[in-house]
Amino acid sequence: MGAAGAVGERIDPVIEARRLHILRAVADHRTVTAAAAALYLTPSAVSQQLAALEQETGHRLVERGAKGVRLTPAGEILLSHTNAVLAQLERAEAELAAYSSGDAGTVTVASFATGIALVVAPALARLAESAPGIRIRVQDAEGDASLPMVLDRQVDVAVAVEYRGAPPADDPRLTHVPLYAEPFDAVVPLAHRLADADEVPLGELAKDAWIGPYPGNPCHDVVVLACEHAGFQPRMEHSSDDFRAVVSLAAADVGVALVPRSALHGTDLTGVVVRPVDGVAPTRRVFAAVRRGAEEHPLIRPVLDALDEAARA
């Protein structure tokens, strides 16, 4: 009676990987509705899959409350294994694709606008020669939006910026590839009292009106943190995520700004003065990210290499 499947013997259920994707999405987004939207499912479908996963594991995995959904201790245990399992599945897909000589296909890359201009577009030009079978689809997305898009399998590669609350470099869900770091420069109107300075001390701008990105944009965090280190909170009078608009407002003499150096390339600087920041300049660090395990996929590896080459150039 020891044979597997014998009459009367209990057969333990198998956990389905697609339900692990749903568990991780719920953990990331904290509500069933948001997880469903990210996965292109209905909330009822997500709830049904969570219920099925709880039946498969024999444990209650989530608790619903007024502020959303949180994982139970059993759910947290399963989530820790989920990250490892999904990463291994990504590696399996990569090896299978390599086995079938996966040298043709589509890779979707999400990047913020300056990253597209600085590294994504040059990488596409390189890939057109080195890997003509790879078709790249590019989506414009701010640095804080592209990482969730990777985790939710909406895109394959994110070109993102480090920001407060971002998944760290050792996050078990992602593989990070550092690309470049760039300083922010001070942008002040021509008539500003510091327009003739060789470098601008941030502390001298404490009483000025400021122009900058909206909260949630990673560059907003860089600006605010730099000002905090200089001993003040910037008074944000005007907000735009488009740095051309930020510079135009500075030229109109309505405030000062900190702008990433690469974002100033090709921007009309009439009416403003651009100066380096005195001391340690605020910096944004840009990296590429893929789901852990996917970095050696034969379609994704050339894209990461091309992005790295473009950043070095």
Side-chain angles (χ1 to χ4, degrees), residues 38-241:
L39 298 173
Y40 300 103
L41 296 172
T42 64
S44 62
V46 169
S47 295
Q48 289 170 7
Q49 292 299 319
L50 286 175
L53 185 58
E54 289 181 330
Q55 186 174 6
E56 288 174 348
T57 60
H59 291 278
R60 187 178 182 186
L61 302 175
V62 299
E63 291 180 344
R64 292 169 173 80
K67 295 184 179 180
V69 176
R70 69 179 184 87
L71 298 189
T72 65
E76 293 287 356
I77 291 172
L78 183 58
L79 180 65
S80 67
H81 291 285
T82 291
N83 292 326
V85 168
L86 295 183
Q88 192 60 41
L89 287 174
E90 293 283 357
R91 294 186 187 97
E93 290 180 8
E95 290 189 19
L96 287 171
Y99 176 76
S100 13
S101 69
D103 55 358
T106 300
V107 175
T108 304
V109 179
S111 172
F112 58 101
T114 309
I116 292 174
L118 201 60
V119 292
V120 176
L124 264 61
R126 285 173 163 78
L127 288 167
E129 296 183 0
S130 63
I134 300 178
R135 176 173 174 259
I136 306 295
R137 295 178 61 239
V138 179
Q139 296 185 20
D140 188 338
E142 289 299 334
D144 58 329
S146 59
L147 295 178
M149 292 169 73
V150 168
L151 290 171
D152 292 334
R153 304 180 70 86
Q154 297 173 10
V155 301
D156 303 301
V157 181
V159 175
V161 179
E162 290 182 3
Y163 60 94
R164 284 191 286 193
D170 60 352
D171 189 294
R173 302 168 298 172
L174 295 167
T175 293
H176 284 220
V177 178
L179 294 178
Y180 65 92
E182 64 172 326
F184 281 57
D185 289 324
V187 178
V188 301
L190 278 177
H192 194 273
R193 63 189 181 281
L194 295 177
D196 293 330
D198 293 332
E199 296 181 330
V200 173
L202 282 187
E204 296 295 320
L205 302 177
K207 295 183 179 180
D208 286 81
W210 278 75
I211 313 156
Y214 285 100
N217 185 314
C219 289
H220 176 88
D221 286 348
V222 174
V223 172
V224 171
L225 282 172
C227 293
E228 288 176 354
H229 289 156
F232 69 97
Q233 283 280 345
R235 177 166 53 89
M236 288 291 180
E237 291 284 341
H238 311 280
S239 298
S240 175
D241 287 333

